[in-house]
Amino acid sequence: MIPKYIYDIPSLMSTSDLESIFNIVSTTPENSNILEIGCFLGSTTCTIKEANPTCNLYCVDIWANEIHDSYLQGYNRQRINERIESDKDSWRGHTSHLKNVYMYNEHSLNAEFDVKFDFIFLDGDHTYNNVRGELIKYYKYLKPNGILAGHDYGYSSCTKAITEFAVNNKLAVWTLDDSVWYYKPYRTV
């Protein structure tokens, strides 16, 4: 179950988005390596760590130039119409209680890792070229049977890149009760 403090972190994630992420991550093994691309203010970071407290979580974001005039907050996910800007100090404030969280303050396509991941969650730059680039780059970082997932399926540039990548790699795109998506290998019947 998602702790209530997570709902007080300003976010663009709905209750069902956070629940979907929690449910997927809770299926990963203990001590998993998990990668989060696009961390904003930390609601997803905290959700991932609460779902798998023993994981090593690698977080990548530029934490700059992202400004929203409304966001969701509170257990009822009430829309708040205030200007909020992402920054790494706010993210650190929301996530400082978490262990084994590693921060990379850089663009997602520039980050490099020497580990493979059990779960990768993409929610960074939503332009077609960036989503496509992240899919190509990070798919190679997945462990066998690892899960590649993300947010904003239904946002046209994201959906186009996600669907094309699935077709080109014989993967099926699964969506949940919200805009969270993940891939599974395509099986012929």
Side-chain angles (χ1 to χ4, degrees), residues 6 19 32 34 52 93 130-131 134 183 189:
I6 291 173
E19 289 169 352
S32 290
I34 295 179
N52 185 340
N130 193 81
V131 174
E134 287 177 351
Y183 288 128
V189 188

Side-chain angles (χ1 to χ4, degrees), residues 5 10 33 92 101 111 124 143 145 160:
Y5 81 88
N33 290 321
R92 280 187 184 132
V101 176
K143 288 182 181 179
N145 299 315
K160 180 179 179 189

Side-chain angles (χ1 to χ4, degrees), residues 100-170:
N100 297 329
V101 176
Y102 309 100
M103 179 178 135
Y104 294 80
N105 189 14
E106 60 187 303
H107 191 280
S108 62
L109 295 177
N110 296 332
E112 296 293 334
F113 300 95
D114 58 1
V115 299
K116 295 281 188 174
F117 297 98
D118 298 278
F119 179 75
I120 298 173
F121 190 76
L122 304 177
D123 192 20
D125 178 338
H126 290 47
T127 61
Y128 169 81
N129 286 333
N130 193 81
V131 174
R132 182 178 176 275
E134 287 177 351
L135 291 167
I136 292 167
K137 177 176 183 149
Y138 289 110
Y139 189 64
K140 297 172 188 173
Y141 280 97
L142 270 183
K143 288 182 181 179
N145 299 315
I147 301 167
L148 180 59
H151 188 235
D152 292 310
Y153 192 83
Y155 188 80
S156 62
S157 58
C158 294
T159 302
K160 180 179 179 189
I162 293 162
T163 304
E164 285 177 1
F165 188 82
V167 169
N168 292 337
N169 291 279
K170 297 183 176 152

Side-chain angles (χ1 to χ4, degrees), residues 14-76:
S14 69
T15 299
S16 62
D17 289 332
L18 293 171
E19 289 169 352
S20 292
I21 295 163
F22 185 91
N23 291 336
I24 294 170
V25 173
S26 67
T27 69
T28 60
E30 287 188 9
N31 303 308
S32 290
N33 290 321
I34 295 179
L35 175 62
E36 177 189 8
I37 303 291
C39 307
F40 192 48
L41 295 174
S43 65
T44 304
T45 306
C46 293
T47 299
I48 290 169
K49 281 302 285 187
E50 293 289 350
N52 185 340
T54 64
C55 76
N56 297 301
L57 179 55
Y58 299 77
C59 300
V60 178
D61 202 309
I62 56 173
W63 282 287
N65 302 323
E66 187 175 1
I67 299 171
H68 297 280
D69 292 326
S70 76
Y71 54 90
L72 302 172
Q73 192 171 17
Y75 192 68
N76 64 357

